[in-house]
Amino acid sequence: MTGHCLILTDQKAVSPGYAAAIRFEGEAELHPGLLSDLLGQIADEVWAEVLAKIPELAAFSSRVISEKTRGYTIGKTPFTMMSLAKNLTVELHLDFNDAHWTLIIWMHGGIGPILKGWFGIPALGLRFLPTTMTIAVFNAASLTHGTMECSIPAGSSACRFGSSHFLRMPDLENLVCLRLGAESSGISLEELKDMAAKARQKSAKGKVCALRSELIAAGKAELVDGDVEAWKDPAVQWRPWS
């Protein structure tokens, strides 16, 4: 899973896995921001396919991507996070913090058949077997959904990849506030990422998490005049923000 919010505001981002990802980026001598640019291009192409089929969703995008949030989402889409799963079983669940629309696109690889592995939304009486370039757009916070176990027959090398694109508005708010708080304290977001990547001991990780919390709180204090309401998406006011 990747995303601006996850890396910069989630306490779990201070972990060996995150440090390894940062180290790989350095050792591979990737141009700074290249991975984000590539993910942005992928997200943009997927979103363009969706808008071609459901043009009404452009209104959702225009609400989320305002002058105050531009640059926080992935590419030119209204999403802040992407995840990629392979042949994964997902129990029926709700994504309470996701904002209004979630997008899932499926791709297949290998040679041979995949049996079962249905994706379903019980409340709609909907169940289907995804094929390559199957796209689902739905409200993941209101509709219970999940994926049954895939069955790969002997001799088949087939696999299914499911990529979810979604937006968590509370995380987006935290990210905006983190940037504001960091700027006021003279700390760049790159410096915060470096701190997280270098945190080895539990005490060091705790300090990074505490610093993030302080900066987010400072950023929120700058928005208490009501200006924050200007970039909140009215379509997701059905859920309290905390």
Side-chain angles (χ1 to χ4, degrees):
M1 183 180 293
T2 184
H4 303 295
C5 293
L6 181 70
I7 290 175
L8 293 173
T9 64
D10 191 335
Q11 291 189 356
K12 294 178 182 178
V14 186
S15 65
Y18 176 59
I22 297 296
R23 188 167 60 252
F24 169 79
E25 188 175 77
E27 292 175 353
E29 297 183 348
L30 293 176
H31 186 277
L34 177 61
L35 185 57
S36 292
D37 289 343
L38 291 175
L39 289 171
Q41 290 180 27
I42 293 172
D44 287 346
E45 291 184 14
V46 171
W47 185 236
E49 284 285 330
V50 172
L51 290 182
K53 297 178 180 179
I54 316 175
E56 294 82 3
L57 287 178
F60 167 64
S61 180
S62 66
R63 290 192 186 101
V64 173
I65 305 177
S66 67
E67 288 306 313
K68 289 185 179 294
T69 59
R70 195 173 301 280
Y72 297 106
T73 59
I74 299 176
K76 298 177 182 178
T77 76
F79 304 113
T80 56
M81 294 189 189
M82 295 168 58
S83 67
L84 181 65
K86 178 182 178 182
N87 294 343
L88 185 66
T89 302
V90 182
E91 295 183 358
L92 291 173
H93 68 287
L94 289 171
D95 297 297
F96 290 110
N97 287 321
D98 286 10
H100 215 67
W101 298 112
T102 289
L103 183 161
I104 303 177
I105 180 170
W106 288 272
M107 299 290 292
H108 289 74
I111 300 175
I114 295 179
L115 306 178
K116 301 180 181 179
W118 300 89
F119 175 81
I121 302 178
L124 301 180
L126 180 66
R127 189 185 77 162
F128 60 86
L129 196 60
T131 59
T132 293
M133 289 302 291
T134 295
I135 297 176
V137 181
F138 62 100
N139 188 327
S142 298
L143 295 171
T144 299
H145 55 284
T147 304
M148 293 175 59
E149 182 179 2
C150 292
S151 176
I152 313 296
S156 173
S157 63
C159 59
R160 176 191 298 148
F161 297 95
S163 180
S164 299
H165 302 232
F166 53 101
L167 167 67
R168 291 176 181 164
M169 293 301 283
D171 291 339
L172 179 58
E173 180 181 21
N174 282 338
L175 182 57
V176 173
C177 292
L178 177 65
R179 183 182 290 273
L180 288 173
E183 288 176 352
S184 298
S185 301
I187 302 174
S188 72
L189 296 185
E190 283 302 317
E191 288 174 324
L192 282 173
K193 289 173 66 175
D194 288 341
M195 290 179 197
K198 295 174 181 176
R200 296 288 187 269
Q201 298 179 347
K202 186 175 181 179
S203 59
K205 296 176 183 179
K207 289 180 180 179
V208 173
C209 293
L211 177 60
R212 284 176 175 165
S213 297
E214 291 175 8
L215 295 178
I216 290 173
K220 287 184 177 180
E222 294 186 30
L223 297 175
V224 294
D225 59 358
D227 187 46
V228 66
E229 296 297 333
W231 60 266
K232 283 187 179 180
D233 180 1
V236 294
Q237 291 303 309
W238 44 266
R239 183 167 179 81
W241 291 32
S242 60

